[in-house]
Amino acid sequence: MAVIKKTTEVKFFIPKAKDDAQAEEVWESVKKFAEENLGWDVSNRRIFSITYHKQGKDYYVEVGKPDPRNGELVIAILDSDTYFVCTPNRGVLRGMPILVGVSELREITDFPPS
């Protein structure tokens, strides 16, 4: 199945960041935390949302909305050898991010280039 790729009109943001500078700081820190804890390089791609199929169910995950699997706020979605859905307790403040395999991905929407 081919992955549908889109770009949103929504400007890059990090939920609850007070301004663009803080959003950049948080994004860089989440990216670094993932790289250090998983040992994989993370791209600079800015992802707004993904749709994926895992364990017989379809999921839609969007930055700034609750994750459908654990209800936590999605802070960032990162691109590496797989996709990382980062919530406060899964990849931002502690713990491993939610992993979404490339083969599970159905649709991906990027933030527009800055």
Side-chain angles (χ1 to χ4, degrees):
M1 175 179 272
V3 175
I4 298 168
K5 297 178 182 181
K6 300 177 180 180
T7 301
T8 185
E9 298 285 322
V10 177
K11 180 179 170 255
F12 174 75
F13 72 97
I14 292 290
K16 301 189 180 189
K18 66 181 180 194
D19 56 28
D20 291 349
Q22 187 180 45
E24 287 298 324
E25 184 180 311
V26 170
W27 192 85
E28 287 294 334
S29 120
V30 171
K31 180 181 173 209
K32 182 179 178 185
F33 185 73
E35 288 175 333
E36 289 174 352
N37 285 299
L38 296 167
W40 298 338
D41 289 333
V42 175
S43 81
N44 288 319
R45 184 179 192 179
R46 307 288 175 100
I47 301 170
F48 174 70
S49 68
I50 59 174
T51 301
Y52 65 97
H53 187 82
K54 191 174 198 106
Q55 299 173 337
K57 294 184 179 178
D58 290 321
Y59 296 97
Y60 173 76
V61 177
E62 182 179 313
V63 171
K65 302 253 172 116
D67 179 79
R69 296 179 72 190
N70 68 12
E72 288 190 19
L73 184 67
V74 175
I75 304 299
I77 303 169
L78 305 177
D79 177 21
S80 184
D81 294 341
T82 191
Y83 295 93
F84 305 147
V85 176
C86 301
T87 68
N89 291 302
R90 298 290 306 265
V92 175
L93 301 173
R94 64 182 90 31
M96 291 202 26
I98 298 162
L99 304 179
V100 177
V102 172
S103 64
E104 298 169 323
L105 194 67
R106 298 293 182 257
E107 185 172 302
I108 188 163
T109 303
D110 292 316
F111 284 103
S114 40

